[in-house]
Amino acid sequence: MDDFLAARSQMALSLGFHIIYACIGMVMPFFMAVSHYKWLKTNNEVYRNLTKAWSKGVAIFFATGAVSGTMLSFELGLLWPKFMEHAGPIFGMPFSLEGTAFFIEAIALGFFLYGWNKLNKWFHWFTGVVVGVSGLASGILVVAANAWMNSPAGFDYVNGQYLNIDPIQAMFNKAWFTQALHMCLAAFTATGFAVAGVHALMILRKQNQEFHYKAFKIAAVFATIGALLQPISGDISAKDVAKRQPAKLAAMEALYHTQKPAPLLIGGIVNEEKKEVKMAFEVPAALSFLAHGDFKAEVKGLDKIPESEHPPVAVTHYAFQMMVGIGSLLVLLSLIYYVTLWRKKAIIDRRWLLKLFVAAIPLGYIALEAGWVVTEVGRQPWIIYGVMKTKDAVTPMPGIAWSFYLFTAIYASLNLIVIFLLYRQIKMVPILYSQQPQEQ
């Protein structure tokens, strides 16, 4: 493995793990806050138990997110020094603000975890809300930095020099809103379905059904609302990408030839050597409408883009198809869920529906990872779109392959530890539940 591939692989590995930890850390505090609020309003001890159980999960993912995020910060400087040399002064503001948000989150989490029976009950609840808001802010700020890589702003690039730097404009670049919206909805959807699925499994096993059913309902509401809103966010993102990064859009749809109107491809096997796609189902003129809001609009293909600037088409296309396909399945499941509620059917007695939620446990995160592949691989060969290529930013230091192997072992170990801690926490739920009296 050459050093360039090793550096990219290490960054992909680190981001792949961190994005899951970060998304859970962004979303779970809101579940916890809702449960806590319900306990304060109803005095039902089940909600108190649920809040305490979820708060332990929040603490686990806060710690793992902090570790993996810190490693990523070091990797940016160690693996991509040329990038950080020029980009650091421009997009450093969202990173510094993210550090502030993380600091606030840590303080609020400490108050929440150790504030039971010590703080005013509503102030205690408020600290949990602060954990969620600051965690969500951290995620948005990091995404703003990534959006800058896709839509550089806040500087003038003159003769290889970065002049007239405006960090505010850099942070609020043209891509930050669409990426942040899409990412936040994806985080709520993925985490919501995962949490709802775990509690659905416990219901099917007939373990502490009242506890798990209340947990399921809270998580399912967040998950289904996020899933139903995601197509709207996806449409906004597609139109934005069509304007700013036509090469990425062409790779997403494996559009090798400019067409007017352009069909939307569903599925298909990409042959990058022959520049063609086989076995794809075409929806006539749909891509023109999705990209430009006009069924007759022209969509630029890869034939109008220099070949040296083509992203890896097959990887981007397959990842995009996976993201959209899973997203569509989750939308369907959300609609089924609400139709069941509308018909006033008891979800707890609909074992088939609970089994669907169990099956959906990993789907949101698979779609989440696929979406990041589209974002990052689809930007290639640029690390700063249109300004700096990835190959020009990599460190000249040799032996990066060994660093990649080491980090792979670290992340694998960290993941096993997290799985063990979560498994132990789930096993402890019956004990926690039985220790607290329930209000009749």
Side-chain angles (χ1 to χ4, degrees):
M1 180 183 292
D2 63 59
D3 290 334
F4 179 53
L5 179 59
R8 291 187 62 187
S9 299
Q10 182 173 323
M11 204 69 195
L13 173 78
S14 302
L15 280 168
F17 276 99
H18 179 68
I19 193 173
I20 294 178
Y21 300 151
C23 285
I24 297 174
M26 287 165 57
V27 172
M28 280 297 297
F30 290 100
F31 297 0
M32 179 182 77
V34 170
S35 176
H36 195 179
Y37 178 81
K38 284 181 173 289
W39 173 59
L40 293 175
K41 296 298 288 184
T42 66
N43 204 32
N44 187 332
E45 288 293 331
V46 177
Y47 285 118
R48 183 177 186 272
N49 295 338
L50 179 56
T51 304
K52 284 197 166 187
W54 274 347
S55 69
K56 290 179 172 61
V58 169
I60 291 170
F61 283 103
F62 176 82
T64 51
V67 171
S68 59
T70 302
M71 292 169 70
L72 269 172
S73 299
F74 280 109
E75 285 178 280
L76 280 172
L78 292 173
L79 300 178
W80 314 103
K82 289 293 183 182
F83 167 70
M84 291 304 295
E85 176 187 352
H86 299 292
I90 304 172
F91 79 151
M93 179 175 284
F95 275 128
S96 62
L97 292 176
E98 190 273 337
T100 303
F102 177 80
F103 181 64
I104 294 171
E105 183 182 4
I107 294 173
L109 183 60
F111 273 113
F112 187 84
L113 292 176
Y114 297 101
W116 290 97
N117 303 320
K118 298 180 179 68
L119 301 173
N120 173 275
K121 63 179 184 179
W122 286 107
F123 178 76
H124 184 220
W125 171 80
F126 177 72
T127 61
V129 175
V130 172
V131 173
V133 172
S134 54
L136 190 63
S138 293
I140 291 172
L141 289 164
V142 170
V143 170
N146 178 268
W148 178 84
M149 297 164 68
N150 286 291
S151 180
F155 66 97
D156 293 325
Y157 187 63
V158 182
N159 297 325
Q161 298 294 315
Y162 297 77
L163 307 174
N164 303 321
I165 294 173
D166 183 346
I168 299 295
Q169 187 181 0
M171 184 167 68
F172 296 106
N173 57 79
K174 292 182 179 179
W176 85 269
F177 175 75
T178 56
Q179 280 198 209
L181 176 64
H182 203 59
M183 184 66 216
C184 290
L185 289 174
F188 276 99
T189 302
T191 303
F193 274 108
V195 174
V198 169
H199 289 288
L201 180 62
M202 296 299 105
I203 294 170
L204 290 169
R205 292 180 176 178
K206 300 186 181 300
Q207 297 182 7
N208 301 326
Q209 293 205 17
E210 183 184 5
F211 175 93
H212 289 294
Y213 184 54
K214 291 185 183 304
F216 170 82
K217 286 196 296 182
I218 293 172
V221 168
F222 279 99
T224 52
I225 292 176
L228 292 172
L229 291 176
Q230 194 66 295
I232 300 173
S233 169
D235 180 66
I236 296 171
S237 296
K239 287 178 170 59
D240 180 60
V241 169
K243 293 178 181 177
R244 293 184 299 97
Q245 296 176 295
K248 178 184 286 188
L249 180 69
M252 288 159 58
E253 282 297 324
L255 187 68
Y256 281 104
H257 304 287
T258 302
Q259 297 186 49
K260 180 182 178 180
L264 180 73
L265 296 188
I266 299 177
I269 299 174
V270 178
N271 188 323
E272 292 190 288
E273 291 184 1
K274 295 182 178 180
K275 293 181 170 46
E276 63 181 18
V277 183
K278 294 183 177 181
M279 301 176 66
F281 177 77
E282 294 188 1
V283 182
L287 181 58
S288 293
F289 179 76
L290 291 175
H292 301 292
D294 181 358
F295 284 106
K296 297 180 180 180
E298 179 180 276
V299 179
K300 183 187 290 187
L302 291 168
D303 57 336
K304 287 194 175 182
I305 298 166
E307 193 158 348
S308 61
E309 298 178 10
H310 286 190
V313 178
V315 174
T316 308
H317 177 71
Y318 295 144
F320 179 68
Q321 294 291 314
M322 185 180 298
M323 177 186 70
V324 173
I326 292 175
S328 300
L329 288 175
L330 296 181
V331 167
L332 179 60
L333 178 54
S334 301
L335 292 173
I336 293 172
Y337 176 76
Y338 283 112
V339 167
T340 305
L341 290 179
W342 176 69
R343 295 179 64 186
K344 297 181 180 181
K345 302 294 185 180
I347 302 294
I348 198 169
D349 296 327
R350 297 295 178 268
R351 292 181 64 84
W352 60 270
L353 183 55
L354 293 173
K355 289 178 180 179
L356 289 178
F357 272 90
V358 173
I361 289 174
L363 294 184
Y365 290 119
I366 295 172
L368 188 71
E369 296 283 10
W372 271 101
V373 169
V374 172
T375 299
E376 298 302 291
V377 176
R379 188 182 63 243
Q380 300 306 314
W382 305 100
I383 192 169
I384 306 176
Y385 187 73
V387 177
M388 178 186 289
K389 290 192 173 182
T390 309
K391 65 180 181 181
D392 298 325
V394 72
T395 178
M397 183 179 69
I400 299 300
W402 293 106
S403 174
F404 168 63
Y405 300 143
L406 175 62
F407 272 72
T408 300
I410 291 172
Y411 275 109
S413 302
L414 182 62
N415 205 43
L416 290 174
I417 292 170
V418 170
I419 291 172
F420 168 74
L421 291 174
L422 290 177
Y423 176 77
R424 189 178 70 169
Q425 179 60 28
I426 293 172
K427 295 289 286 185
M428 287 291 290
V429 164
I431 299 174
L432 292 171
Y433 187 82
S434 62
Q435 284 179 340
Q436 298 292 340
Q438 293 182 33
E439 184 174 292
Q440 302 298 320

